[in-house]
Amino acid sequence: MVDPDDARISDETLIGRTAAGDPAAFGRLVRRHQAAVYRFAQAAAPDGEAEAVLCEAFRTAWRVAPRYRDEPSARPWLFALARQAIERRHLRAYREADFTPLSELARAAGWGDPTVPPAEGQAVEAAFVALLPEDREILTLCDREYFTVNEAARVTDRTETAVRTLLHRARLRLMARLRENTVEALADGERIVAGLHCGEVLADLTEHLDGRLGRERAQGIGEHLEGCERCRRFADEIAAAVCALRELPDAPLDPAIESRLLAGLEIADA
């Protein structure tokens, strides 16, 4: 169980003490981040492997703590260790580069279809669970943990450009999972509004919603959305789905899993 007083001690301090061989400090670090690391392992690893990945990540953290570089939060570091554990255990075959046209992903997600179901908590959670691990991974990092693109790139050992692309495509696949019926072909009706074609706006929707576009580009897309009901509705649906995903409750680590983790790390209650 996490001690409320732990909040006064920074991750850097706990890791520094861990590097010096202080098991009590390491125990505090584990309890602070164990639930989040387990959620990430559940998202990124195959079913049934999350607990083993959790334990291996913290074993590695104890061993490599002296090499930790000071950062405000240890969470990106711990997530990277968990991901490395998944790769070492050969638990995941990463998908080949996705060359599916963006317009095809968007049609599956409901672009241009007024019957897209509302993004509600339980529906979004079910849709999220049904995604492939690499989609769950990037959504967990960026939309559940609020990692920056740079932090997500470090955890996944990818470029920031690749992370942005993966996030946008994962959000579209999340939207597709929310749909109940087979999607009909998108009717021809893309337009040029405010000097931008609908397809151009679709390509930059995630960057626009996350506020990462330059001022001029953001203004142009904003003007397009004001004048294009279809694109505006789709942007609103994505924003609602992302909001619902971010608001899913973060459950504490199951006490039985915590007990096995601490026993495996030989950490006594402090």
Side-chain angles (χ1 to χ4, degrees):
M1 187 172 181
V2 178
D3 183 344
D5 290 339
D6 283 355
R8 297 179 300 177
I9 306 175
S10 69
D11 282 352
E12 295 98 321
T13 297
L14 290 177
I15 295 175
R17 293 176 182 175
T18 297
D22 183 350
F26 182 55
R28 289 190 172 203
L29 183 74
V30 170
R31 292 181 179 91
R32 178 177 294 177
H33 296 289
Q34 60 187 7
V37 174
Y38 184 68
R39 281 193 298 273
F40 175 71
Q42 281 186 306
D47 292 344
E49 297 289 346
E51 186 174 341
V53 169
L54 171 71
C55 196
E56 185 171 338
F58 277 113
R59 285 199 190 103
T60 303
W62 170 261
R63 187 175 68 253
V64 304
R67 300 202 295 271
Y68 175 75
R69 63 180 186 181
D70 290 348
E71 296 174 343
S73 171
R75 197 161 289 185
W77 175 63
L78 292 170
F79 280 20
L81 295 180
R83 193 173 192 273
Q84 291 164 18
I86 293 171
E87 293 178 342
R88 277 196 304 272
R89 294 167 61 85
H90 305 289
L91 292 178
R92 186 161 125 198
Y94 287 89
R95 183 168 51 199
E96 296 289 335
D98 185 2
F99 297 110
T100 306
L102 199 63
S103 58
E104 184 177 328
L105 291 176
R107 285 195 295 270
W111 188 39
D113 186 343
T115 65
V116 176
E120 299 175 345
Q122 288 185 340
V124 169
E125 185 171 15
F128 173 79
V129 170
L131 294 172
L132 290 174
E134 47 264 53
D135 290 330
R136 297 197 306 258
E137 175 183 75
I138 204 69
L139 290 171
T140 296
L141 293 174
C142 295
D143 288 337
R144 299 222 54 196
E145 293 293 335
Y146 294 92
F147 279 18
T148 65
V149 169
N150 177 265
E151 289 172 331
R154 282 168 33 215
V155 169
T156 60
D157 195 25
R158 291 187 171 104
T159 66
E160 292 187 18
T161 298
V163 165
R164 291 188 180 100
T165 298
L166 288 169
L167 177 60
H168 188 34
R169 287 173 171 264
R171 284 177 176 174
L172 291 178
R173 279 189 279 266
L174 176 69
M175 292 295 295
R177 287 290 182 178
L178 280 168
R179 294 173 54 74
E180 298 176 349
N181 301 317
T182 302
V183 179
E184 298 180 358
L186 181 65
D188 292 335
E190 294 189 30
R191 301 182 297 160
I192 295 178
V193 177
L196 291 176
H197 189 275
C198 293
E200 295 180 82
V201 173
L202 168 66
D204 279 342
L205 265 184
T206 278
E207 294 295 284
H208 180 69
L209 293 173
D210 289 349
R212 288 194 291 263
L213 291 178
R215 179 180 176 182
E216 184 176 346
R217 183 66 170 174
Q219 181 177 347
I221 289 181
E223 291 174 357
H224 179 99
L225 294 176
E226 288 179 6
C228 180
E229 181 182 357
R230 178 175 67 179
C231 288
R232 182 175 65 252
R233 182 171 58 239
F234 189 58
D236 289 345
E237 291 291 346
I238 291 180
V242 170
C243 182
L245 182 64
R246 289 174 173 174
E247 292 177 353
L248 291 178
D250 292 335
L253 189 64
D254 183 281
I257 295 176
E258 179 180 19
S259 295
R260 291 192 293 271
L261 171 64
L262 299 182
L265 298 174
E266 297 182 348
I267 297 175
D269 290 335

